[in-house]
């Protein structure tokens, strides 16, 4: 047992020396190709066996000169086979790595990526799949950025037009009053007040939308009932509905408890009702209903606008979108529905629109307040 322990010790010392030499070689070749590293690994395995054998032989005189030559030749043949295998494996891995590098060159230009056809190791194949997934996410992000940029340019154009028109009217009316040529000053004053109120509403909407996009919308949620929110919103919209000859229908509204910012949610309902009233012809009706489930409450506003073109449905909640080419009042700045979506999503809810017979239905989904 002592001889075996001594043999194991000398074999371990020889193998450790070969391993340390391999570590030094790998450190020196750390910036070289993978094939060089594989060759070093193969050489370490062969040299560790040779060093262990020679150290035991020299220390304990277990072999004569002839046996030592035989062992040396055997180890040399093993070394040649190991080196050849390492070279072949290194060339294969290097080819897969070069193919992946060539495929990745186009990644930063157009965001597309196609996996190389060269067979690769499992690690390189996994890396290639990750690049494909990153390319898909990058393409989707660029598409969203293009859509947001187009929406932003459209919004700026519409806002500029909507601001220029009332400002020009205000300038003309103030000049007429200043020159004393206004035949009915009281009417001019009333018109100026109305235009100022409309401009103030536009600025308020822009400020609200900027807070939503910046993520600085501050909510103060309180437990309330959808029945109360709908009742307050309908009461606030009665005058506008009467002016346009539109009937407001209070469909069954369940007293579903929700935790929302009452002020912001009242703004959501007001925007939906104003939008529905403006697009419903005289004699039509706007209906509001609310239902609740175990986890979600649904609040819907249905109008008689005749429906929205299917191609336009995905853009209804985009900032600045108004569904037509009209850019004059009372078209507005097209911010109301964008604000609706921002506030509802800030409450962890969802909003969508669908066409129904004779009109369209805006549907909000909000979490039900826990008991």
């Amino acid at each position: 047992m002592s001889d075996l322990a001594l043999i194991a010790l000398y074999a371990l010392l020889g193998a450790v020396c070969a391993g340390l030499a391999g570590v030094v070689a790998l450190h020196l070749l750390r910036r070289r190709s993978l094939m060089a590293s594989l060759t070093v690994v193969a050489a370490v395995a062969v040299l560790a066996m040779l060093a262990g054998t020679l150290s035991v032989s020299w220390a304990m005189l277990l072999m004569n000169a002839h046996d030592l030559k035989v062992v040396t030749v055997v180890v040399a043949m093993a070394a040649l086979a190991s080196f050849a295998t390492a070279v072949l494996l290194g060339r294969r891995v290097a080819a897969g790595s070069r193919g992946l590098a060539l495929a990745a060159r186009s990644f930063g230009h157009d965001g597309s990526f196609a996996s190389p056809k060269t067979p690769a190791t499992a690690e390189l194949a996994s890396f290639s799949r990750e690049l494909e997934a990153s390319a898909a996410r990058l393409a989707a992000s660029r598409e969203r950025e293009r859509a947001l940029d187009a929406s932003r340019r459209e919004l700026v154009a519409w806002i500029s037009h909507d601001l220029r028109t009332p400002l020009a009217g205000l300038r003309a009316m103030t000049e007429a009053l200043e020159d004393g040529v206004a035949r009915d000053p009281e009417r001019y004053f009333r018109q100026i007040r109305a235009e100022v109120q409309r401009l103030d509403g536009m600025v308020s909407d822009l400020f609200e939308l900027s807070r939503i996009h910046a993520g600085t919308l501050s909510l103060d949620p309180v437990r309330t009932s959808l029945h109360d929110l709908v009742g307050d919103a309908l009461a606030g919209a009665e005058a506008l509905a009467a002016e346009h000859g539109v009937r407001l229908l209070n469909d069954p509204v369940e007293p579903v408890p929700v935790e929302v910012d009452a002020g912001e949610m009242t703004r959501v309902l007001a925007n939906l009702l104003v939008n529905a009233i403006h697009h419903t012809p005289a004699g039509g009706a706007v209906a509001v209903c609310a239902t609740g489930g175990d986890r979600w409450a649904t609040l819907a506003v249905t109008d008689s606008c005749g429906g929205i073109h299917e191609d336009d449905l995905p853009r209804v909640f985009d900032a600045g979108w108004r569904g037509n080419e009209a850019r004059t009042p009372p078209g507005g700045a097209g911010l109301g529905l964008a604000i609706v979506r921002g506030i509802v999503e800030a409450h962890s809810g969802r909003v969508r629109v669908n066409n129904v017979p004779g009109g369209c239905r805006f549907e909000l989904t909000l979490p039900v307040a826990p008991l």
Side-chain angles (χ1 to χ4, degrees):
M1 292 298 296
S2 60
D3 290 341
L4 289 177
L6 190 60
I7 290 173
L9 177 61
Y10 278 110
L12 178 62
L13 291 176
V16 167
C17 292
L20 291 176
V23 170
V24 173
L26 287 174
H27 178 73
L28 295 176
L29 298 175
R30 63 187 183 277
R31 300 185 183 278
R32 303 297 295 273
S33 66
L34 183 60
M35 186 167 60
S37 298
L38 290 174
T39 303
V40 171
V41 172
V44 167
V46 174
L47 291 177
M49 182 176 61
L50 179 60
T53 302
L54 293 178
S55 61
V56 171
S57 300
W58 289 339
M60 303 188 67
L61 301 176
L62 296 178
M63 295 185 183
N64 55 33
H66 178 268
D67 293 338
L68 186 60
K69 289 181 181 178
V70 171
V71 171
T72 304
V73 171
V74 171
V75 172
M77 295 300 101
L80 289 177
S82 298
F83 292 156
T85 303
V87 169
L88 291 176
L89 179 59
R91 289 174 62 87
R92 179 182 177 185
V93 174
S97 178
R98 285 194 298 270
L100 184 59
L102 291 174
R105 285 182 179 177
S106 62
F107 187 85
H109 297 288
D110 56 2
S112 62
F113 176 81
S115 297
K117 298 180 180 179
T118 307
T121 62
E123 292 78 8
L124 291 179
S126 176
F127 183 53
S128 178
R129 289 192 295 270
E130 289 296 328
L131 285 178
E132 283 185 344
S134 298
R137 289 192 295 269
L138 180 59
S141 177
R142 288 181 173 177
E143 185 62 30
R144 287 194 300 269
E145 184 64 26
R146 282 193 291 267
L148 287 174
D149 187 60
S151 176
R152 191 179 300 112
R153 289 196 301 268
E154 189 176 49
L155 173 61
V156 170
W158 286 6
I159 288 292
S160 300
H161 188 279
D162 286 346
L163 288 175
R164 187 183 300 113
T165 301
L167 288 175
L170 288 172
R171 179 178 180 179
M173 286 185 287
T174 54
E175 289 178 351
L177 291 171
E178 183 180 13
D179 295 339
V181 298
R183 296 183 178 180
D184 188 357
E186 292 297 328
R187 184 175 65 85
Y188 276 48
F189 286 133
R190 289 193 300 270
Q191 186 66 26
I192 289 174
R193 176 179 295 179
E195 293 294 338
V196 169
Q197 288 177 346
R198 196 170 72 84
L199 289 174
D200 181 70
M202 291 175 60
V203 172
S204 177
D205 286 346
L206 282 172
F207 179 70
E208 185 79 0
L209 192 62
S210 68
R211 288 200 303 162
I212 292 172
H213 287 172
T216 59
L217 181 64
S218 178
L219 299 177
D220 185 18
V222 295
R223 188 182 181 90
T224 185
S225 169
L226 285 183
H227 185 275
D228 296 336
L229 290 175
V230 171
D232 294 341
L234 289 174
E238 285 180 354
L240 181 65
E243 179 183 348
H244 287 75
V246 174
R247 292 176 293 113
L248 294 179
L249 302 179
N250 189 354
D251 280 358
V253 178
E254 300 177 4
V256 184
V258 291
E259 286 189 2
V260 296
D261 187 305
E264 296 293 345
M265 197 53 60
T266 298
R267 181 168 192 160
V268 165
L269 293 175
N271 284 355
L272 289 177
L273 287 172
V274 169
N275 178 74
I277 292 170
H278 277 305
H279 291 85
T280 297
V286 173
V288 182
C289 68
T291 57
D294 294 335
R295 297 179 55 193
W296 299 96
T298 301
L299 178 63
V301 176
T302 306
D303 58 36
S304 306
C305 66
I308 301 173
H309 195 279
E310 292 294 333
D311 295 336
D312 291 334
L313 284 176
R315 297 196 58 201
V316 166
F317 296 100
D318 291 348
W321 185 86
R322 288 183 288 191
N324 54 62
E325 298 299 326
R327 302 192 178 193
T328 56
L335 304 180
L337 295 180
I339 292 173
V340 166
R341 179 174 63 180
I343 295 176
V344 171
E345 291 179 352
H347 284 86
S348 301
R350 299 184 300 273
V351 58
R352 62 180 181 178
V353 58
N354 295 308
N355 285 324
V356 295
C360 57
R361 174 186 173 94
F362 289 84
E363 188 173 282
L364 314 181
T365 303
L366 297 169
V368 174
L371 298 177

